[in-house]
Amino acid sequence: MANNSSGSNNTRMQNNIRIGGRGPGRNQEVEKPKDGRQTLGRLLQYFSSEKALIAGLLLVVVFLVLCSVFAPKLQSDAIDKITNGDFDGLPGVLAVMMILYIISAFSTLFQSRISAFLSQRIVRRMREDLFRKIVNLPVKYLDTHSHGDIMSRMTNDVENISNIVSQSLSTLVNGVLTIIGTVIMMVCICWQLAILSCVTVILTLIVTRLITSKMRIFSRKRQKLLGELNGTVEEMVTGYKTVAAYNHQPQVIGEFEATSDELTRVGIIAEVIGGSMGPLMNVISNIGFVLIAAFGGYYAIHGLISVGVISAFIVYAKQFGRPINMIAEVYGQIITALAGAERVFSIMDEADEDKSGADTMENAKGVISFRNVNFSYVPGKQVLYDFSLDIYAGHKVALVGATGSGKTTVVNLLMRFYDIDSGEILIDGVNIKDIDCNTLRHNTAIVLQDTVLFSDTVRNNLKYSNTQATDEEMERAARMSNSHNMITHLPKGYDTVLTESGQNLSQGQRQLLSIGRAFLAQPRILILDEATSSVDTRTEQNIQDAMVKLMQDRTSVIIAHRLSTIRDADYIVVMDQGRIVETGNHEELMAARGRYYELYMTQFAGNQT
């Protein structure tokens, strides 16, 4: 839902930080990231319903680790048998080694398949939870946050989480178990060389701590910039006609390149820092090889260990260093995923729209009362001042006034898109805060100036307001809105699939469908916000004739700049800067020669020219 008008939009935009672009929140500063442990704990909650898969994955990983831990010991035994000339026992050792390697190969295959399956199930639940939260967010949240940034959280951030589950989880578990198993085997074979190998562990921990602290900073900044970049692209695609009409391509390209360049710079730094982890770990690992070879040779010469033990320790040292390297690299990926998870959870932590209320509007008549309503989108920037208005059941009331006078804000408050600061709004004498929000909106149909159609058939777009309607009822609504003939001339009639936002229809045709959708809702209260602003004069007259039937015995609130369309209104309310300045019907207001008279004569003069 669009906000009140340019005046109220400007008020709110001036109170946001670093606002830019078409939406009110594209460049705003993101929230400070939450505690990493808390975020990780919330992320692990999604694993609770996948215990069978996790158990299977752990079992496969254990088999894989056991194979990798015992294989070097068998290799050591084989070398010692060859050295000692014991060729009779060699085939048995080699056969066991072959079996371990085969088991390891199959375990690796199953590990990747289970990890992928687990990842997709968890991410599916997370996407569903996030989408469910977005759908139930207050209109105010979507009005004040970049749509591109929200979509980035749904796509890029969730995808990072998917990667960490499918690729890094099993790697992390495998690495930890491999380190534990390797240490046990090393201590059992030669505790002196095992202690010597721990030198590399200390160096690894120091380097890892230094690198990951830097990686965390740039990962968060990269995710923020990626959200801003998506916001820029979303705005350009949505408003491309405006961009092209005003030849703003160079400016748009400049804005995009500025954000893209910064994202590139931060991304390069993040990749360099993350990429340096592996080479540094290799250097430390090679240092460990040199120490083992030197001291192992010394021990072998003095008869403390065999040649096979040296061979096994070199393999163990490499096997010991590799999971440390992997864990260090995975840690960087985990930081990136946690940065994305924080952004996802920040949306999930937003309060749902308050739809509470016990009244179900049974036998609703549609009497609307505004009593001393005051409202501001941003504290200190008031939009409505002591607004009081009574609308009787079945009456047609028009709100007119200059842009920014507060007309659409009245509709926003009536629909409970926003909560008032003070005063009260009543329907049939009941405060709308006490009316179930779903019931309120079910009894109210609204046609906006900016038509919203979905990528679906014409039939489903019309039935969006009443999914239980029959085809006969739908066609009757289409005839009442004078859209039936237009629909029958489409390639597949009512089964024609509309492109995104109905771009394969003209603006007037989209408006007719939107009005037909409101007809099908059969509401007690009808709201028309510049509903006929995008249709030609002849079509407008046809719609006006149909509206006379539609609005019979229904309360109708009409927002109109084209004053000729509301001459037959029972009551006209003239607004100016959030206040009611005149009321009456057309004849009374014209005779008063006040603000309405000035607006009407200005339009009449414009039409005459």
Side-chain angles (χ1 to χ4, degrees):
M1 161 63 69
N3 289 326
N4 174 29
S5 56
S6 60
S8 59
N9 282 333
N10 291 336
T11 300
R12 286 178 298 141
M13 290 172 67
Q14 291 167 1
N15 286 271
N16 281 292
I17 301 174
R18 292 179 60 191
I19 300 299
R22 191 173 65 88
R26 184 170 66 87
N27 291 326
Q28 65 182 16
E29 295 291 344
V30 297
E31 302 84 358
K32 292 182 179 181
K34 298 178 180 179
D35 182 77
R37 292 182 181 179
Q38 180 184 359
T39 303
L40 181 60
R42 294 184 62 177
L43 197 57
L44 292 177
Q45 292 177 4
Y46 281 90
F47 290 79
S48 60
S49 61
E50 307 296 340
K51 295 178 181 178
L53 279 177
I54 294 174
L57 179 61
L58 291 177
L59 183 62
V60 170
V61 170
V62 168
F63 272 111
L64 187 59
V65 170
L66 289 175
C67 292
S68 65
V69 167
F70 282 106
K73 180 62 173 64
L74 293 173
Q75 178 182 311
S76 172
D77 293 342
I79 292 175
D80 286 341
K81 289 183 180 297
I82 294 173
T83 304
N84 298 328
D86 183 12
F87 294 102
D88 292 336
L90 184 61
V93 175
L94 294 178
V96 175
M97 288 180 62
M98 181 62 68
I99 293 173
L100 287 181
Y101 287 135
I102 292 174
I103 294 175
S104 177
F106 278 100
S107 297
T108 303
L109 175 62
F110 285 125
Q111 174 185 306
S112 61
R113 291 177 66 88
I114 295 175
S115 295
F117 197 72
L118 177 64
S119 166
Q120 292 307 311
R121 287 176 64 91
I122 290 175
V123 169
R124 182 196 66 186
R125 287 179 54 214
M126 181 169 287
R127 282 200 177 104
E128 289 174 352
D129 289 347
L130 180 57
F131 187 79
R132 190 178 297 111
K133 167 60 70 172
I134 292 174
V135 168
N136 287 287
L137 284 173
V139 172
K140 180 179 180 180
Y141 182 90
L142 296 176
D143 274 349
T144 55
H145 289 76
S146 165
H147 297 171
D149 182 63
I150 294 175
M151 289 189 291
S152 176
R153 301 186 192 208
M154 173 66 78
T155 54
N156 296 318
D157 292 334
V158 174
E159 189 62 30
N160 285 334
I161 298 171
S162 173
N163 292 336
I164 195 69
V165 175
S166 63
Q167 300 173 13
S168 304
L169 177 63
S170 57
T171 300
L172 183 63
V173 176
N174 188 313
V176 171
L177 294 180
T178 299
I179 291 174
I180 295 173
T182 302
V183 169
I184 293 174
M185 293 299 295
M186 291 171 72
V187 171
C188 292
I189 295 174
C190 180
W191 63 269
Q192 295 93 337
L193 290 180
I195 293 175
L196 193 63
S197 300
C198 290
V199 173
T200 60
V201 177
I202 297 174
L203 292 175
T204 298
L205 293 176
I206 294 174
V207 172
T208 301
R209 185 175 182 83
L210 292 174
I211 292 179
T212 52
S213 63
K214 296 291 184 182
M215 186 69 182
R216 185 183 299 109
I217 296 173
F218 287 99
S219 293
R220 291 169 181 164
K221 191 170 184 180
R222 179 166 59 178
Q223 291 303 110
K224 172 196 169 185
L225 289 170
L226 190 59
E228 291 183 1
L229 195 69
N230 284 337
T232 301
V233 173
E234 187 265 342
E235 290 173 356
M236 191 282 296
V237 172
T238 304
Y240 180 71
K241 289 182 179 179
T242 302
V243 173
Y246 288 98
N247 294 319
H248 267 253
Q249 291 93 334
Q251 291 89 331
V252 172
I253 293 172
E255 291 179 7
F256 178 85
E257 289 180 346
T259 306
S260 180
D261 290 345
E262 180 65 12
L263 177 60
T264 301
R265 185 187 70 82
V266 172
I268 290 174
I269 296 175
E271 292 296 332
V272 168
I273 294 175
S276 64
M277 184 76 74
L280 289 174
M281 295 300 105
N282 287 333
V283 170
I284 296 174
S285 179
N286 291 333
I287 293 174
F289 293 158
V290 172
L291 293 175
I292 291 171
F295 284 89
Y298 175 81
Y299 292 152
I301 292 173
H302 290 78
L304 298 176
I305 59 175
S306 66
V307 176
V309 170
I310 298 176
S311 172
F313 250 90
I314 290 176
V315 175
Y316 279 130
K318 183 177 181 180
Q319 190 168 284
F320 186 61
R322 185 171 59 248
I324 293 178
N325 295 349
M326 289 190 301
I327 291 173
E329 292 179 1
V330 165
Y331 188 79
Q333 298 174 11
I334 292 175
I335 292 301
T336 300
L338 286 179
E342 287 172 345
R343 287 159 50 82
V344 171
F345 290 138
S346 69
I347 293 183
M348 292 187 181
D349 289 337
E350 291 291 334
D352 287 346
E353 183 181 18
D354 181 13
K355 296 184 178 181
S356 61
D359 193 280
T360 57
M361 295 184 67
E362 292 186 12
N363 302 317
K365 298 178 180 179
V367 178
I368 304 172
S369 298
F370 291 82
R371 295 180 180 175
N372 307 112
V373 172
N374 292 282
F375 173 75
S376 55
Y377 289 105
V378 177
K381 304 290 183 180
Q382 196 161 341
V383 179
L384 290 183
Y385 298 84
D386 196 30
F387 184 87
S388 295
L389 176 66
D390 290 319
I391 303 175
Y392 300 109
H395 278 211
K396 175 180 177 181
V397 175
L399 303 179
V400 301
T403 299
S405 59
K407 303 183 299 298
T408 302
T409 296
V410 173
V411 173
N412 285 342
L413 299 180
L414 179 61
M415 295 290 291
R416 283 187 64 178
F417 291 149
Y418 289 84
D419 292 327
I420 61 178
D421 298 338
S422 63
E424 57 181 355
I425 303 174
L426 309 175
I427 295 181
D428 296 336
V430 179
N431 194 311
I432 62 171
K433 292 183 178 180
D434 299 325
I435 299 175
D436 177 72
C437 197
N438 293 325
T439 302
L440 170 65
R441 293 171 186 173
H442 179 74
N443 283 276
T444 307
I446 183 169
V447 180
L448 303 174
Q449 181 178 2
D450 297 324
T451 306
V452 177
L453 297 175
F454 300 96
S455 300
D456 205 336
T457 62
V458 172
R459 183 186 310 278
N460 290 338
N461 269 281
L462 286 172
K463 289 187 176 182
Y464 197 82
S465 62
N466 184 1
T467 56
Q468 304 301 319
T470 64
D471 287 346
E472 291 75 15
E473 292 172 332
M474 175 196 65
E475 183 174 330
R476 183 176 63 194
R479 291 181 183 278
M480 292 178 66
S481 63
N482 292 324
S483 60
H484 176 72
N485 291 335
M486 177 270 293
I487 295 173
T488 56
H489 284 84
L490 294 175
K492 295 183 179 180
Y494 284 90
D495 293 316
T496 301
V497 177
L498 303 181
T499 58
E500 184 178 0
S501 300
Q503 292 298 319
N504 51 342
L505 299 178
S506 69
Q507 180 64 34
Q509 289 173 326
R510 294 198 295 269
Q511 195 69 287
L512 287 173
L513 288 181
S514 181
I515 294 172
R517 181 168 59 193
F519 287 177
L520 189 59
Q522 295 294 308
R524 292 304 311 157
I525 300 172
L526 180 66
I527 299 174
L528 304 174
D529 187 351
E530 294 288 348
T532 61
S533 62
S534 299
V535 297
D536 58 80
T537 304
R538 181 176 178 179
T539 304
E540 178 185 0
Q541 185 58 51
N542 292 334
I543 293 175
Q544 293 294 331
D545 294 340
M547 283 182 177
V548 172
K549 299 178 181 178
L550 175 68
M551 289 185 280
Q552 186 175 0
D553 298 327
R554 290 188 174 89
T555 305
S556 303
V557 180
I558 302 174
I559 298 175
H561 284 127
R562 197 182 300 178
L563 302 184
S564 60
T565 63
I566 47 95
R567 292 180 59 175
D568 60 337
D570 298 307
Y571 204 62
I572 299 174
V573 178
V574 184
M575 299 183 63
D576 185 32
Q577 297 183 1
R579 293 181 172 86
I580 297 177
V581 294
E582 279 186 313
T583 58
N585 59 35
H586 174 74
E587 290 74 17
E588 292 171 345
L589 293 176
M590 289 297 291
R593 292 181 172 266
R595 181 61 177 159
Y596 178 83
Y597 177 83
E598 294 176 2
L599 291 172
Y600 189 87
M601 295 308 295
T602 300
Q603 288 192 11
F604 179 77
N607 292 333
Q608 288 295 95
T609 58

